[in-house]
Amino acid sequence: MRDWLKQMMQPVQQVSSQGMSQVDAWFLQERHRFTITGLSRSGKSMLFTSLMTILKYRSEEKYNCLPLLESLPMELVDHMRIEPLPGYAMFPADAHLQALESGHWPAPTEQAYGFKLIVRLRQTGNIKKLLMPYTDVVFEFIDYPGEWITDMPMLGKSFSQWSDSAWAQQASEPQKHYSSAWHAFVEGFDFEQPPTREAVLEVVSEYRRYLQHAKAHGISMLQPGSFLIDGSGFDWRAEGFAPLPAKITSDISHPWYKAFAQHYAAFQDNWLTPLKESTFRETDKQIILVDLFEGLNHSRQHLYQLKETLSHLAETFVYGNPGWFARNVLRQRQIGRVAFVATKTDLIPESQKPALLSLLQQITEGAVAKFADKPIQFEHFLVSAMQTTDSGEHDNALRYTNPAGAYVEANFEPLPSTLKDMESDAHYPVLQAQVPKDHLPRMLNGRGLDRLFEFLLNQEA
Amino acid sequence: MSADTTQRYRSKVTERTINTVQPEADMPAKIDDSTWQPGTEKRSLSLGTTTLLLGGACAIGFGVVSAVEAVLGYFDSYPITATVLGSLLAGFVLCMLTLVGREAKGFMNVNKHLSRQLDYQALEQTSDKAALLASLKRHASSFSAHSYAARCYKTFTQALNSDVSAQEALALYQRTVVKPVDKRAQEVINKESMTAGSLTFISPNHLIQTLMIVWISFRTIRRVAQVYGLRPGTLGNWQLFKVLAQNIAAQSIFDLATDEVANQISGSLTARFMENSAEAVAAGALNVRLGKALMKLLR
Ligand SMILES: Nc1nc2c(ncn2[C@@H]2O[C@H](COP(=O)(O)OP(=O)(O)O)[C@@H](O)[C@H]2O)c(=O)[nH]1
Ligand SMILES: [Mg+2]
């Protein structure tokens, strides 16, 4: 199955070396640039892998998938191919497919990836056929770790502002369950010693441990998220910083304050600013992936802080990126489209999907409010990149293979359709579904991708 | 999931192991993209060929006769030529009548289903997916097994999944069944009307011309119905008959008129040519009219 990727790339490299003339590009291409964002583990890699695979099997082998994708009618698709996107590392689809074949989920990959997916459509009209024998629909996909984007608001804050708000967050629910070790460490640490390289590294490492611990327990509101991702272009070991208690940040002559403020400025200038400039370059379509199961798995408080994180994420699109916003939205070249997508929906029974959708709508309320008066269209979607589960005995049950290899029936009590309805002392453990052997048909049976891409591709307002 | 989460919170999901292995999922169905052919009966095809050959022979024969007539002036009877021509004409007319008879029988069969129309307006209001799919299924049960419509309907059902809502399913039905079937019917009508025009153009006299038109008309009805996949029935339908009769009447009046014009211009070759071309165009147009009326009824 993996060879098709190479096959698809070959002819392309020939064509692109000859170079398509600009005129051809104008007349024969229809370009869509998508940016897909989501916190890490939200399902970005699987979504891409699945989309590539489904489109391939649909266009080349005429499998009847993605029925609602009217904008790419099956009978008109001639072929599709994949090209690298200049300026980005190539999305490692090959490695991901290999992992699936050997029964593992794709390895976590933490850096920005891009690729182009080009679908060639035959022309139908007779006259058009003569003038323009085909149209290429070019998708440009860029996958950013959401952790980078949730750091963007740090650009507008000074070190002491950021430090104070971060410290306050750690002291409140649900973060405070995970921050006790870090707070105890700060209590016991001697801030009278000079901030040598070693001492700074000790503090920053401890802070990072807190970030990792909280993240492992479903907390998404974590800054700087860039410290968590090894592919980030910032060396937290050499120039790290951490929030400090107010007794230090209130004294701007304190050596530790000075050192951290300096590192914080370097973080802003050398990492966030260039990132902001390269992000959302020309994109007019945003896909924001949300993993609601992470929150449901833990507690209602977790869902609330996810809501806050998403609101920050959306803010970055609207205010954090004047370039994108002015170019695409204000000039009305095209209406901006934002899709909020809840992933891995195969992990709940069909009957619970309406509740999940309504939960998604509520959790993205804050984000949506950010573009209330802007010419941005948004919609909510439920998607599964792979249908790992089967229907169960009842409407509220489903079946899956657990990590121990047993085939298990899981019975769900009804999901809450609002945050308020989620009982504060209850949770919905996320099913640890494994990659099934028959992952190919299960990918082709994935749900919701057609509706999502139809919304993003459809030119009508 | 961590130990402290399990302690603090009550789980709303309960699990039990079932003693089977996970069933294998099937690949989605493939789209059948072989070209669809209407079921053809061998015999009628060879009969059709015979007819065409005879028709061609007639045209040539008549051409020869008029040439001979022109050369020989006022001689009025040549018994051998007359016999040959007479039998050719008789054979042709006989075959033609048989064909018309057959098509007429097929036409009768079509009519039973004309009353079975889907109420799209009602369907557009519903959000009950099961009911919607049931009424589409009931409608589709009248498609005969190998019709184009049946094939489109099969593709439609294969594309459906639990995720598709009622209105999305209806839109999908419109896009994958109604639209392609209409398009195919339109293609059939265009082709048949071209044939109608061509046959009118070459037909040497009004009798043959009228027979041809009747035949083509019935054939159009049958072929269009075949696209829609309607099973045989026995009742007649007056709406279509009306259109058919109107068409034939219109064609005859048109014939008379063009004859008159041709007489006025004096019976030169160009006049004859012009008369036939005009009739051919009219025959084509009238056949399109018939097809459209039928499509409206069948949809
Ligand atoms: N059941 C199920 N699990 C999924 C699906 N997509 C992703 N996952 C799970 O979520 C994990 C993270 O997905 P991944 O695509 O690597 O996330 P990324 O970090 O955003 O690229 C995977 O390892 C899978 O366990 C899906 O469609 N269904
Ligand atoms: Mg990834």
Side-chain angles (χ1 to χ4, degrees), chain A residues 148-169:
Chain A
W148 292 355
I149 296 177
T150 46
D151 283 352
M152 290 292 181
M154 291 170 76
L155 271 175
K157 288 180 180 166
S158 70
F159 172 65
S160 58
Q161 282 170 332
W162 171 76
S163 170
D164 291 348
S165 70
W167 197 264
Q169 260 170 11

Side-chain angles (χ1 to χ4, degrees), chain A residues 62-64 67 70 74 177 299 350 388 393 400-401 407 409 411 413 423 425 427 438 442 447 451, chain B residues 2 8-12 14-16 18 20 22-25 28-31 155 162-163 168 175:
Chain A
K62 303 284 171 225
Y63 280 103
N64 198 344
E70 204 176 330
M74 244 177 112
H177 291 295
S299 71
E350 199 71 37
T388 58
E393 199 178 344
Y400 75 105
T401 303
Y407 192 47
E409 170 141 336
N411 259 295
E413 287 179 42
E423 293 161 42
D425 61 345
H427 75 145
D438 48 349
R442 286 179 184 275
R447 295 291 150 80
R451 199 183 283 118
Chain B
S2 65
R8 270 191 286 140
Y9 303 103
R10 185 172 60 81
S11 171
K12 298 257 239 175
T14 48
E15 297 195 345
R16 73 184 163 86
I18 33 188
T20 48
Q22 183 161 21
E24 291 242 338
K30 280 196 184 192
I31 298 273
T155 308
S162 58
D163 204 38
E168 282 170 338
R175 187 156 53 80

Side-chain angles (χ1 to χ4, degrees), chain A residues 234-246:
Chain A
F234 185 80
D235 185 5
W236 61 270
R237 286 174 191 83
E239 290 187 297
F241 53 89
L244 294 172

Side-chain angles (χ1 to χ4, degrees), chain B residues 5-48:
Chain B
T5 305
T6 349
Q7 277 152 25
R8 270 191 286 140
Y9 303 103
R10 185 172 60 81
S11 171
K12 298 257 239 175
V13 182
T14 48
E15 297 195 345
R16 73 184 163 86
T17 305
I18 33 188
N19 288 325
T20 48
V21 289
Q22 183 161 21
E24 291 242 338
D26 293 327
M27 291 290 276
K30 280 196 184 192
I31 298 273
D32 180 1
D33 61 352
S34 56
T35 43
W36 178 81
Q37 290 290 345
T40 44
E41 312 101 279
K42 279 255 155 49
R43 266 179 49 216
S44 89
L45 195 86
S46 67
L47 196 59

Side-chain angles (χ1 to χ4, degrees), chain A residues 18-48:
Chain A
Q18 289 160 10
M20 193 188 213
S21 83
Q22 191 54 47
V23 181
D24 281 357
W26 283 335
F27 285 109
L28 301 176
Q29 288 197 346
E30 182 187 319
R31 279 157 53 100
H32 302 269
R33 186 177 273 231
F34 297 89
T35 308
I36 303 203
T37 327
L39 300 173
S40 67
R41 318 309 290 150
S42 60
K44 298 179 296 296
S45 301
M46 263 314 296
L47 189 86
F48 281 160

Side-chain angles (χ1 to χ4, degrees), chain A residues 292 340-342 345 348 350-364 379-383 415-418 451:
Chain A
L292 291 175
F340 294 100
V341 181
T345 55
I348 49 157
E350 199 71 37
S351 64
Q352 299 298 320
K353 285 189 176 175
L356 194 75
L357 186 63
S358 124
L359 206 56
L360 175 69
Q361 279 159 351
Q362 212 197 352
I363 284 194
T364 55
E379 219 165 288
H380 299 83
F381 299 89
L382 303 182
V383 157
L415 284 184
S417 51
T418 61
R451 199 183 283 118

